Amino acid sequence: MEKREFSSNLGYVFEGAFKVGLLEVVKPERAKDFEKAFKESILEIFKPEEYYREILERDWERIGTYIDDQNKYEKYLKTIYLLGYNAGKFYGETYKDMKLIKYSLGDESWTAGTWKNADLIFIHDQTLYVVDFKLSNAEFWITQYFSKATRTEKKDLPYMPAVNFGVPVNISVGELSFVNFLERYIRVQKALENLQEVLVELKGFTQVISYAVDYLCEEGDKGLREVCLELIYPLPESYRARFYINEGDSQLFLKYREKVVDIYKSVRDKEGKMSDLIGVHDSQVRIKRLKQEFKSEIEKLEMELNGLEGKPVKLTVQDISVARDDVEKALQEFNINNEPARCLILLHSAGSGKTTKARQKILEQEGKHIVIYMASRLILLDREKEALEGLRRPDVRVIYPRDRRVNNREVIHTGRAFAQRRERVSKIWQAVESIKESVEENKYKWIWALITTQSVLESEYNETSDYLKELITYRILKEYTLHIIVDEFLGYRNGLYTIVKLLEFAKQVKEQGGRIFIYLFDANGYSPDLMKKLLQEYREYGVIPDSLVLCDYVEEVNFNYDGIPIKARAKHGYPSKELMLYKKFLKVEKEEDLSRTIKEYVLSTFKDRDKSTAFLYIQDKDLIVELSRSFEEEGLSTIIVTASSRKSQEEINQGSSHIILGTSSVSRGIDFSRPNKPVDYIYIFVFDWGIEQNLVEVIQAISRARGDAKTESRPKHLHLVFPLMPLQEHVLENIKTLSEIDDIGLIESFYKLETLRQKKLLSEVTQKIIESFLISPSDFKKVLVPIPAQHKTVYKSNRIVQLESIITFLDDIYLMELRRNKDKALRIKKIQEMLYESIILNARSKERENIFYYHPYVLIRDGELYLSFDNEKRHEITKLLEDLWSLLKSHNEERSEDLKRFLTETASIEIHRISYLIPVYSIVFTDNVLKQNEFMRFRLRKRVGRGGANVLGGGLEFLTRCFVPEGGSPKEYAIVPLGEDYPYVEVLSGRFAKFPIEFIIKLLEEVNEQSVA
């Protein structure tokens, strides 16, 4: 059987098995007839193969994890059937009283876009669900998990969860109705139709849109409130988007019907580049022809990339003084406004003086003032504290809450283990109490409290923003004006949640007759129109996933949020009059050569080393350590800066090192002001996908070189470096699995060609988006803006969250001290490793209460997580800490105290109540694949779900496993532990389909065409 035909049939099996499981739950009276018809169709499809008959009985022995070319088809088929059947049953439990509209198999019409071609349509709770099933690399994921999850070395283990690739793009920000979404959707018709490559998800996305529109036109929308579009895959996370519909909208859908079908037709028959390989394994002639074609295309692309490297491009920048003047003007106008409660959003470029000028304006005002300054990074709070204390004014009181506990004993014994008992005292509560005390003292005209944005959260007990209400007293409202500043509000995922809570507080102050001014600052918000729509969308869904957002640029927007008038303004520029852009596609022959290759490139391009400084932005701490050592060997001094140490800013401003190395942790809050040796060379290393996340920090990083006249007067040299890494084994395996080609030369040529294509496209997108942040576009020009994930969370304190923070701190200090004091740095590293090794996490798999299903995840709310802490390791770490205490404390006293408390307060065994996810494939692996005493282990990713929920221990790549023990002991299921609770529907499913990066290029081309017109 041909590979393409087998994959198609495999998708048919997944869909059918899903529906068997679904009907057994929601319509048991129909399940037997459906299953009978499904079995007959399978017998017809797979006539020659005996093992295909076995799946009809669902009574085979455990599958086992061994997979090779002889048994892989059988393994794929059985695993896919089980994944579909189990997922269908869980899905049915979620929508038990659904009204089925379309669920039959194999009776599709030739008419494109008709709703009767949909895989599944049903109505539940006044919502129309339109569902399509896609295979989406299922064979690859099964091969990866079966072949790698049984290995012993951690570095060889596969990651969980499984994900789809592509760039999420929000083409309809703020549009909550289906009609308005369709209006935005057809605006990108040209960009979609011009695509050469189409990902599975994009094809499914256009497909379900056409089905939904057709159904609503044909059947009407009576009794419906929402429409939900969903793509379901066997292993990767599903795609889901929901929109409101109003009765009578079906008439409006008629004008979009033809266009959405046209869009679907234009992408339906297009394939990904992998399709070039499928079906050629038995044709030596085709293989030879493809090799020649690939070789020719590779040579052509290499010439194009060499041309891009050939000469620097002078980027057009707007003088930062324009943005600074506009900040001054906006704040001046805001302060003379007569509204008692109002909000100002400033989205001007980094370096435009938003924070400094706001502080100055508040200090110039008459009367008494209470100011709460919030920021997402401690270094920003430290800088504000230093600026305020530097005034040496007795009428200014600075309040900076530190960590406090209710008591020292944080655990109680439950009979089985210890359970956490006490929380840290909220910093907002501490700040409010200190403010009230200062009011009573009546000595200060300005009371200035500094707290982190992260302290605004919902816990298991309350919302910490409620503590602000204690400031609504007769005396405070009569005598004081309240000011709340939120600096770089997109710097942490709760930024929009914080804004919503503060606007609610402002409304309460206004209703009680008080005066309150809210200031919101972040250059990454970019367009005032975008901020208005983000607040609308967040208010409805509580989630904004990582994405590139297509929006209009408007310099000023005025709107009202629940009675609070908001003015949002933006102007963009760059803190240097000249910015030269260089591109380098850096060929790396071997993984171990990466550090040397980077060093050689920097040495060849970093001029004026005695008078200038170079900043290297790299998202890899181990690589930073290697580079630091390598540069030092060449006689170039380096400093590694981190956000964990308060020494970083001092070393930058007063040091004379040749090179500064840092990750995204220093892309916000630190000014690279060093007039004695200005930062003139900036190297940004872009390794791979994920630009929707990384560009947010890249944009911040290129603006760090500022803060003094000399630094800002000199030209800047920006190097965008795209390493071309050697062939990666897992990618080659993926290509081989999906194409069934054994010719390694052909696979390698295909891989190289696709790598060059993607790097070229990535370089174009990166450059164009960076350029848009250097100058203010004309009003109503379309722009693409990278927005980091934003969502409300319900925080649940536990040891693992604390441990992640501690280990990150130790890692940062290790990096900084490695050059200065290697012996102590290695001991710090030893503590870090021992902490990691001493912790064991285990979830009791038998818990099945409070479960919810969000494909492909079973969510267990408030389950038991067992934490074990090795007492011998505790003793060793404590001894090491005694020798290193003064050094760690000099970097960050608060984090050092956290480490000491962790060692003294953590019990040997503790129970933590947390929420966690069990992927449906984890259930299949444990219940149907593994034999006794077999296990499969996985490394946890840092994020789960399209909304980017934090995985507990994911930042440290903790392991989780499936295990079937002997003797009737409870089976173990690999889990994805969550440290917080979320609006799970949106966080796990997301709202934005993933597009090929080529789509971004097409959108940007359209934007440029509109600008010229």
Side-chain angles (χ1 to χ4, degrees):
M1 184 179 293
E2 287 288 339
K3 176 68 180 67
R4 193 186 301 271
E5 184 183 354
F6 176 76
S7 293
S8 175
N9 293 337
L10 204 57
Y12 179 84
V13 169
F14 175 68
E15 178 187 345
F18 185 100
K19 291 175 179 177
V20 170
L22 175 74
L23 290 172
E24 285 183 1
V25 177
V26 301
K27 298 291 179 185
E29 70 279 5
R30 301 186 197 177
K32 288 188 177 180
D33 289 342
F34 180 88
E35 186 173 16
K36 180 182 177 183
F38 178 48
K39 286 179 179 180
E40 290 172 353
S41 65
I42 288 181
L43 288 173
E44 183 65 28
I45 293 171
F46 300 116
K47 284 178 182 176
E49 306 294 352
E50 178 60 33
Y51 58 77
Y52 291 128
R53 297 174 179 272
E54 295 180 19
I55 74 166
L56 306 180
E57 306 304 326
R58 284 191 268 142
D59 190 28
W60 56 79
E61 294 181 358
R62 287 177 172 267
I63 297 172
T65 57
Y66 178 74
I67 189 167
D68 59 21
D69 288 341
Q70 281 68 49
N71 69 13
K72 64 183 179 183
Y73 287 137
E74 180 181 359
K75 301 269 184 177
Y76 292 155
L77 191 70
K78 289 181 176 180
T79 306
I80 286 294
Y81 185 96
L82 288 164
L83 289 170
Y85 177 73
N86 280 276
K89 293 200 77 165
F90 282 118
Y91 197 88
E93 291 290 344
T94 305
Y95 304 105
K96 247 182 179 175
D97 57 346
M98 69 167 60
K99 177 186 174 183
L100 280 167
I101 306 295
K102 164 69 167 63
Y103 67 93
S104 55
L105 284 164
D107 55 352
E108 295 186 0
S109 162
W110 287 104
T111 305
T114 179
W115 69 265
K116 292 179 181 177
N117 286 347
D119 290 341
L120 178 65
I121 297 182
F122 64 92
I123 294 173
H124 179 268
D125 193 23
Q126 296 181 281
T127 299
L128 174 70
Y129 289 82
V130 182
V131 182
D132 200 73
F133 299 92
K134 299 293 183 189
L135 201 58
S136 189
N137 280 1
E139 299 115 305
F140 164 69
W141 285 110
I142 292 169
T143 302
Q144 279 282 295
Y145 285 161
F146 279 23
S147 62
K148 290 191 172 183
T150 55
R151 296 184 181 181
T152 54
E153 291 291 326
K154 179 183 174 182
K155 64 181 177 62
D156 296 328
L157 297 175
Y159 283 98
M160 177 184 287
V163 296
N164 269 336
F165 298 104
V167 182
V169 182
N170 183 351
I171 60 174
S172 59
V173 62
E175 302 299 353
L176 309 181
S177 78
F178 196 39
V179 168
N180 291 345
F181 163 76
L182 292 172
E183 178 65 36
R184 291 298 188 105
Y185 174 61
I186 62 172
R187 292 183 191 177
V188 299
Q189 181 174 358
K190 183 180 177 182
L192 289 167
E193 290 177 342
N194 289 338
L195 289 175
Q196 299 298 310
E197 176 187 7
V198 173
L199 301 178
V200 170
E201 181 154 305
L202 177 54
K203 190 178 296 187
F205 173 65
T206 63
Q207 201 171 358
V208 290
I209 291 172
S210 66
Y211 294 157
V213 171
D214 186 63
Y215 179 88
L216 291 166
C217 288
E218 289 286 322
E219 305 297 323
D221 52 34
K222 187 175 181 180
L224 295 175
R225 292 185 298 109
E226 293 186 20
V227 59
C228 180
L229 313 174
E230 187 167 16
L231 301 175
I232 290 180
Y233 311 107
L235 290 99
E237 297 169 342
S238 65
Y239 162 73
R240 170 182 290 200
R242 59 189 177 97
F243 302 95
Y244 289 117
I245 52 179
N246 299 307
E247 192 166 332
D249 277 355
S250 55
Q251 295 303 308
L252 299 173
F253 295 140
L254 288 170
K255 72 175 184 177
Y256 303 114
R257 190 180 193 177
E258 186 177 339
K259 289 186 177 180
V260 298
V261 171
D262 287 343
I263 293 173
Y264 170 49
K265 283 180 178 178
S266 73
V267 303
R268 178 181 56 179
D269 297 324
K270 294 178 182 178
E271 301 283 352
K273 295 297 181 183
M274 185 70 70
S275 63
D276 293 341
L277 299 182
I278 294 176
V280 305
H281 63 281
D282 57 353
S283 172
Q284 290 302 314
V285 174
R286 290 182 66 190
I287 288 175
K288 185 177 180 180
R289 177 177 58 79
L290 280 175
K291 281 184 175 180
Q292 288 297 322
E293 289 178 5
F294 291 165
K295 181 182 178 182
S296 176
E297 290 184 62
I298 287 170
E299 290 174 352
K300 181 181 176 182
L301 264 174
E302 286 179 335
M303 288 181 63
E304 290 179 17
L305 296 183
N306 287 336
L308 292 173
E309 294 178 340
K311 58 180 180 179
V313 177
K314 185 176 180 180
L315 299 181
T316 302
V317 299
Q318 185 164 288
D319 195 317
I320 194 67
S321 63
V322 176
R324 289 171 177 167
D325 291 345
D326 196 68
V327 167
E328 177 85 24
K329 178 184 175 184
L331 287 166
Q332 186 67 36
E333 292 174 354
F334 184 68
N335 285 333
I336 62 175
N337 190 310
N338 291 323
E339 284 285 345
R342 52 189 183 267
C343 174
L344 177 65
I345 303 177
L346 296 182
L347 308 173
H348 300 61
S349 294
S352 57
K354 299 181 288 291
T355 307
T356 301
K357 286 183 170 63
R359 183 194 320 119
Q360 291 170 352
K361 294 296 180 187
I362 292 171
L363 288 168
E364 290 170 1
Q365 294 180 31
E366 297 296 324
K368 293 182 178 180
H369 303 268
I370 293 172
V371 185
I372 299 176
Y373 173 84
M374 296 182 176
S376 59
R377 302 201 178 178
L378 289 174
I379 198 160
L380 289 167
L381 300 181
D382 291 338
R383 193 172 67 187
E384 191 67 6
K385 177 175 180 286
E386 184 179 337
L388 289 165
E389 291 179 343
L391 298 173
R392 301 187 180 279
R393 291 179 55 165
D395 54 356
V396 176
R397 165 81 191 279
V398 180
I399 297 167
Y400 194 179
R402 318 303 281 179
D403 269 354
R404 281 175 50 198
R405 307 294 181 106
V406 173
N407 60 26
N408 288 329
R409 183 175 174 78
E410 282 208 345
V411 293
I412 56 173
H413 202 271
T414 65
R416 295 173 292 165
F418 289 90
Q420 273 200 301
R421 180 181 185 182
R422 297 293 185 182
E423 295 275 328
R424 296 183 178 192
V425 176
S426 164
K427 290 183 180 178
I428 295 182
W429 179 83
Q430 291 182 58
V432 168
E433 289 299 302
S434 296
I435 289 169
K436 286 159 51 178
E437 290 171 5
S438 299
V439 168
E440 288 300 316
E441 291 177 22
N442 200 25
K443 296 192 302 186
Y444 309 104
K445 286 184 65 177
W446 290 273
I447 303 170
W448 221 288
L450 312 174
I451 54 178
T452 60
T453 314
Q454 290 89 323
S455 63
V456 183
L457 55 88
E458 181 177 344
S459 71
E460 300 163 89
Y461 314 107
N462 65 356
E463 290 188 290
T464 57
S465 58
D466 287 343
Y467 292 126
L468 293 173
K469 296 176 185 176
E470 296 181 25
L471 297 177
I472 305 177
T473 66
Y474 176 80
R475 180 175 180 178
I476 288 176
L477 296 186
K478 183 180 179 182
E479 297 181 12
Y480 291 84
T481 299
L482 298 175
H483 306 260
I484 302 181
I485 303 169
V486 186
D487 205 353
E488 303 205 353
F489 56 83
L490 292 175
Y492 189 68
R493 62 185 182 274
N494 74 333
L496 294 181
Y497 168 73
T498 298
I499 291 171
V500 169
K501 290 287 123 185
L502 295 179
L503 291 172
E504 290 175 3
F505 174 62
K507 182 181 179 182
Q508 294 168 333
V509 171
K510 178 182 178 181
E511 289 172 347
Q512 295 298 318
R515 287 168 56 81
I516 180 168
F517 306 149
I518 295 177
Y519 311 75
L520 308 173
F521 303 151
D522 200 309
N524 283 104
Y526 192 72
S527 171
D529 184 62
L530 171 60
M531 287 310 305
K532 176 183 176 182
K533 291 178 176 177
L534 284 177
L535 282 171
Q536 291 170 345
E537 189 157 311
Y538 181 83
R539 189 178 196 179
E540 180 61 32
Y541 297 113
V543 176
I544 302 289
D546 283 310
S547 61
L548 288 175
V549 179
L550 178 66
C551 67
D552 294 322
Y553 180 82
V554 181
E555 198 165 86
E556 181 175 313
V557 170
N558 293 280
F559 61 102
N560 192 285
Y561 188 98
D562 209 14
I564 304 298
I566 298 177
K567 179 189 288 290
R569 282 192 61 80
K571 273 193 182 294
H572 298 284
Y574 187 71
S576 174
K577 291 180 172 59
E578 185 175 314
L579 180 62
M580 302 300 296
L581 174 68
Y582 307 76
K583 288 185 182 180
K584 181 65 179 178
F585 300 90
L586 199 63
K587 188 175 181 180
V588 182
E589 297 291 346
K590 299 177 182 178
E591 291 269 0
E592 56 266 29
D593 292 339
L594 177 59
S595 174
R596 176 184 58 78
T597 309
I598 290 174
K599 179 192 71 175
E600 290 173 355
Y601 176 70
V602 172
L603 291 177
S604 69
T605 55
F606 178 23
K607 312 297 183 184
D608 305 320
R609 298 174 196 169
D610 293 333
K611 299 178 182 179
S612 299
T613 302
F615 168 52
L616 274 63
Y617 172 89
I618 303 176
Q619 284 292 75
D620 185 326
K621 289 182 178 180
D622 291 333
L623 180 56
I624 283 176
V625 172
E626 286 184 48
L627 284 168
S628 176
R629 186 183 301 115
S630 189
F631 282 125
E632 296 279 348
E633 290 171 356
E634 296 289 337
L636 296 181
S637 56
T638 65
I639 56 172
I640 299 173
V641 295
T642 74
S644 295
S645 173
R646 296 186 171 98
K647 290 184 176 181
S648 290
Q649 187 70 69
E650 180 182 332
E651 289 192 329
I652 291 169
N653 299 148
Q654 300 176 16
S656 59
S657 299
H658 295 96
I659 295 173
I660 299 171
L661 299 115
T663 67
S664 62
S665 65
V666 296
S667 64
R668 292 175 181 265
I670 291 183
D671 287 338
F672 289 177
S673 171
R674 42 171 32 195
N676 59 314
K677 210 165 183 288
V679 174
D680 294 334
Y681 294 82
I682 302 166
Y683 295 83
I684 306 292
F685 293 84
V686 184
F687 281 86
D688 216 329
W689 297 89
I691 60 169
E692 70 280 0
Q693 301 169 36
N694 295 336
L695 272 181
V696 175
E697 305 303 341
V698 166
I699 290 162
Q700 287 285 337
I702 66 172
S703 299
R704 292 302 100 196
R706 65 173 196 251
D708 63 86
K710 186 174 181 181
T711 296
E712 295 183 9
S713 68
R714 292 158 66 111
K716 299 291 175 268
H717 304 271
L718 172 61
H719 294 257
L720 293 179
V721 184
F722 302 88
L724 300 173
M725 300 302 291
L727 300 176
Q728 297 180 23
E729 180 188 349
H730 74 277
V731 180
L732 294 177
E733 286 179 9
N734 186 16
I735 298 171
K736 185 177 179 181
T737 299
L738 295 177
S739 66
E740 295 196 327
I741 291 175
D742 292 322
D743 191 308
I744 298 301
L746 179 61
I747 292 175
E748 290 180 348
S749 294
F750 172 81
Y751 178 84
K752 183 176 181 179
L753 176 60
E754 280 309 293
T755 298
L756 295 176
R757 279 177 178 157
Q758 294 303 317
K759 293 294 185 183
K760 180 174 180 287
L761 290 171
L762 189 59
S763 76
E764 291 176 22
V765 171
T766 306
Q767 177 181 339
K768 288 182 182 298
I769 292 180
I770 286 175
E771 284 180 313
S772 70
F773 274 76
L774 301 176
I775 189 169
S776 295
S778 56
D779 270 2
F780 301 105
K781 176 183 175 182
K782 296 289 182 190
V783 289
L784 274 172
V785 182
I787 294 294
Q790 292 287 302
H791 45 69
K792 170 187 175 181
T793 63
V794 179
Y795 175 72
K796 294 188 174 182
S797 177
N798 59 70
R799 299 291 190 199
I800 307 306
V801 173
Q802 297 171 26
L803 179 61
E804 284 186 296
S805 175
I806 290 166
I807 290 180
T808 299
F809 162 64
L810 291 172
D811 196 35
D812 285 348
I813 306 311
Y814 161 73
L815 292 176
M816 294 187 67
E817 292 294 335
L818 191 59
R819 179 174 55 85
R820 292 183 294 211
N821 194 327
K822 186 175 180 180
D823 178 61
K824 288 190 175 181
L826 292 175
R827 280 186 279 166
I828 291 170
K829 191 70 173 176
K830 180 69 174 175
I831 291 178
Q832 181 192 19
E833 291 171 351
M834 290 174 68
L835 278 171
Y836 180 81
E837 293 168 0
S838 67
I839 297 294
I840 300 172
L841 300 179
N842 178 40
R844 292 300 171 95
S845 60
K846 288 296 183 182
E847 292 191 75
R848 285 294 183 270
E849 296 182 1
N850 298 321
I851 70 168
F852 306 85
Y853 189 65
Y854 305 94
H855 184 79
Y857 303 117
V858 177
L859 167 67
I860 296 182
R861 304 287 292 270
D862 205 29
E864 286 189 350
L865 179 85
Y866 278 68
L867 180 150
S868 303
F869 191 14
D870 187 305
N871 280 323
E872 288 186 13
K873 291 268 177 42
R874 184 204 311 265
H875 180 70
E876 292 180 55
I877 295 169
T878 302
K879 290 290 291 180
L880 283 169
L881 183 60
E882 289 175 1
D883 296 334
L884 297 168
W885 180 248
S886 60
L887 173 64
L888 292 174
K889 199 172 177 181
S890 70
H891 280 281
N892 191 316
E893 184 175 354
E894 189 173 326
R895 288 288 172 264
S896 302
E897 292 289 349
D898 284 344
L899 172 57
K900 182 181 285 188
R901 280 194 292 265
F902 185 87
L903 293 172
T904 57
E905 297 175 4
T906 305
S908 56
I909 301 177
E910 292 183 1
I911 301 172
H912 297 268
R913 304 295 304 190
I914 70 161
S915 296
Y916 57 86
L917 304 169
I918 306 180
V920 70
Y921 46 89
S922 171
I923 294 170
V924 169
F925 293 160
T926 297
D927 289 348
N928 303 99
V929 174
L930 292 174
K931 300 174 182 178
Q932 278 198 348
N933 281 335
E934 284 188 340
F935 61 82
M936 298 171 75
R937 298 188 303 159
F938 310 89
R939 286 184 285 175
L940 289 171
R941 294 185 192 273
K942 193 173 183 179
R943 298 275 187 268
V944 66
R946 300 193 177 210
N950 275 350
V951 174
L952 202 60
L956 305 174
E957 293 190 357
F958 277 145
L959 301 182
T960 183
R961 72 176 186 175
C962 297
F963 179 56
V964 179
E966 288 182 324
S969 298
K971 293 180 289 188
E972 294 182 19
Y973 298 88
I975 67 168
V976 181
L978 305 171
E980 300 163 317
D981 275 343
Y982 299 88
Y984 286 103
V985 172
E986 307 300 341
V987 167
L988 296 179
S989 299
R991 286 176 47 75
F992 317 133
K994 291 186 177 181
F995 292 76
I997 198 168
E998 182 194 359
F999 175 70
I1000 314 301
I1001 296 295
K1002 300 297 182 186
L1003 279 182
L1004 290 168
E1005 287 173 355
E1006 283 193 25
V1007 166
N1008 291 336
E1009 288 173 10
Q1010 292 167 10
S1011 299
V1012 172

